[in-house]
Amino acid sequence: MSHWNRSYFFGFDEEYGWGNTTYFSYFSEFNRPWSGLPYLEAVVLIFLFLFSLLGNCFAFYQIMKLRSTRTVTNYLICNLAVADILFSTGSPLIAAARITGTWVLGSFICKMLVYVLFICAAVMIWTMTIISIDRYICIFKTSVKRVTPKMAMCSIVILWFLAFVAFIPLAMYFNLKSFPFGTTSVNICTLLWPNNQLIRVSLIFTICICIIGFVVPLGILVFNYFRILKKFKKSRNAVMTIATNNTTKSIKSREQRDFRLVKNLILLVVLFLVMWLPIFIVFVLLQADGMDDEMEVSSQAFIGALCVALGNACVNPFLYGIMNEKVKRRIIKSVFSRKKKMKISTIDSKTATENSKLAKNGPSMTSST
């Protein structure tokens, strides 16, 4: 290795036929301008992990607790929660790599971490897309046969299987590389594609991931929710025209409910775009960076975009779980019933304490008289 910077190492590749090439560090970074920055990144990653874990576990538990909440949409929401949890479990490992700099978790974790992250990201994105399709079918009734829970489970299994197969190249080509660093050596978890003179494998993979993993799902989401909003507006105008004799209170209540629906649908699309676009942009920039050997993208950009995507795993239980009316009613009922039980137990304990005091003081009072 002849040269080194904060996010890239330069070396000689014999395995894939590249010769002199660059290796992007992805999870590691060296020569930091501020020594406290790795710890700040680690705190953010751990916070996102804990928030995602608690929110998704709670939503999953409330959905699966009662049979009445086990609908097609809720099965999809449970699958989304599982993908969110698995996606966020990589955060502590990445936090460790940001602090240590050198990769200390071994070659197997290096391969599996990136592989699982991409699988879960794809399942999350396409589960949200399938939920929008299910809502579209429910409203427009374009199919004579409605989607059944059995069909939903089959689609979930197929989705996971396709994701496992699609990202096998990442598990194959992400490897642990060791480089001299001052008086010692460091390890980085990096990606190097095979050198093929006919086709650029990395370019084809990146284009396919961006189209199938982001552009197509975003197009389906926008189409479905735009059509739903359009039909909703049309039906709302018809109802408001008929309901001229309704009371002002009922009209106001309906307008508030309608506003919430519109806000939620727009929020779903906007958050999908804002939280997933950065990671795809960085992935494309890394591909362009590697092709031109410009070495301008920092691992901080990759980690920052990953944190934004992790934010989606944090908000999903609120967007899809808690905003679901049945689940929301169940959660509110659960919270209030616990508060009621705590209040009753507190009153009972106070009564028991008072009774014990009376029992103690009773004999002494009678003896004195």
Side-chain angles (χ1 to χ4, degrees):
M1 188 180 74
S2 58
H3 186 61
W4 166 86
N5 68 12
R6 289 192 312 183
S7 301
Y8 283 86
F9 280 90
F10 300 84
F12 187 82
D13 169 62
E14 296 179 353
E15 185 177 359
Y16 297 120
W18 286 101
N20 291 318
T21 187
T22 58
Y23 297 87
F24 184 65
S25 58
Y26 284 92
F27 305 111
S28 303
E29 189 162 336
F30 305 88
N31 246 8
R32 298 293 195 102
W34 176 46
S35 59
L37 190 57
Y39 299 96
L40 180 62
E41 291 171 342
V43 168
V44 172
L45 286 164
I46 295 298
F47 173 79
L48 291 171
F49 164 67
L50 293 174
F51 197 86
S52 171
L53 183 66
L54 292 174
N56 283 289
C57 285
F58 187 66
F60 183 88
Y61 172 74
Q62 292 298 334
I63 290 173
M64 298 305 294
K65 191 174 181 180
L66 291 178
R67 187 172 291 276
S68 60
T69 58
R70 298 179 193 176
T71 61
V72 171
T73 302
N74 288 344
Y75 275 126
L76 293 170
I77 293 172
C78 284
N79 182 60
L80 182 61
V82 171
D84 286 340
I85 292 168
L86 292 175
F87 184 70
S88 60
T89 50
S91 299
L93 304 179
I94 298 170
R98 298 307 284 178
I99 292 173
T100 60
T102 184
W103 185 266
V104 295
L105 301 171
S107 179
F108 179 77
I109 299 297
C110 169
K111 289 175 174 291
M112 288 299 103
L113 174 61
V114 181
Y115 182 50
V116 172
L117 282 176
F118 272 82
I119 287 171
C120 294
V123 171
M124 288 164 63
I125 289 170
W126 274 100
T127 301
M128 290 186 280
T129 307
I130 295 171
I131 289 172
S132 75
I133 294 170
D134 176 61
R135 288 176 175 176
Y136 180 87
I137 292 173
C138 289
I139 291 174
F140 285 87
K141 297 179 182 178
T142 54
S143 176
V144 178
K145 286 185 70 177
R146 295 283 295 274
V147 178
T148 62
K150 188 176 180 180
M151 292 169 63
M153 292 301 295
C154 287
S155 66
I156 289 169
V157 172
I158 292 170
L159 179 59
W160 279 99
F161 174 76
L162 292 176
F164 271 103
V165 173
F167 296 107
I168 286 176
L170 290 177
M172 292 171 59
Y173 300 122
F174 255 96
N175 290 293
L176 196 63
K177 295 290 181 181
S178 181
F179 297 93
F181 181 68
T183 58
T184 181
S185 63
V186 293
N187 296 322
I188 62 169
C189 180
T190 188
L191 172 67
L192 189 65
W193 296 94
N195 186 8
N196 193 313
Q197 299 296 330
L198 299 176
I199 56 173
R200 188 98 182 194
V201 179
S202 58
L203 181 62
I204 294 173
F205 183 83
T206 304
I207 292 172
C208 291
I209 290 301
C210 291
I211 293 174
I212 300 173
F214 182 74
V215 176
V216 173
L218 179 62
I220 295 172
L221 278 170
V222 171
F223 174 80
N224 288 337
Y225 289 141
F226 176 76
R227 289 291 306 276
I228 289 171
L229 286 173
K230 193 174 179 182
K231 182 166 183 177
F232 159 76
K233 185 179 178 182
K234 187 177 179 181
S235 61
R236 180 178 180 275
N237 291 336
V239 170
M240 294 301 290
T241 304
I242 296 170
T244 52
N245 297 326
N246 283 358
T247 61
T248 307
K249 186 177 180 181
S250 63
I251 293 174
K252 189 176 179 181
S253 174
R254 182 178 180 85
E255 285 179 346
Q256 290 175 349
R257 190 169 63 251
D258 294 347
F259 175 74
R260 283 197 303 270
L261 174 64
V262 172
K263 183 182 70 174
N264 291 344
L265 292 179
I266 293 174
L267 191 63
L268 290 175
V269 176
V270 171
L271 286 179
F272 180 89
L273 178 64
V274 170
M275 291 185 163
W276 286 107
L277 183 60
I279 193 69
F280 283 95
I281 290 176
V282 171
F283 205 65
V284 171
L285 289 176
L286 285 174
Q287 169 61 32
D289 218 22
M291 291 175 68
D292 295 336
D293 290 332
E294 293 177 355
M295 298 165 294
E296 293 180 352
V297 180
S298 169
S299 69
Q300 286 181 349
F302 176 74
I303 297 299
L306 185 60
C307 285
V308 175
L310 283 165
N312 190 242
C314 295
V315 301
N316 277 340
F318 297 93
L319 290 175
Y320 291 93
I322 296 175
M323 284 186 180
N324 184 292
E325 286 301 321
K326 283 187 178 181
V327 178
K328 187 166 72 173
R329 285 197 297 269
R330 177 64 194 162
I331 290 171
I332 293 170
K333 185 179 178 181
S334 174
V335 171
F336 276 99
S337 64
R338 285 177 185 174
K339 285 184 177 180
K340 191 174 180 181
K341 285 178 183 178
M342 288 175 65
K343 190 175 180 181
I344 291 170
S345 63
T346 306
I347 293 170
D348 289 343
S349 63
K350 285 182 179 179
T351 306
T353 306
E354 288 173 1
N355 289 337
S356 64
K357 284 181 179 179
L358 286 172
K360 277 184 179 181
N361 296 332
S364 61
M365 288 174 67
T366 53
S367 62
S368 63
T369 54

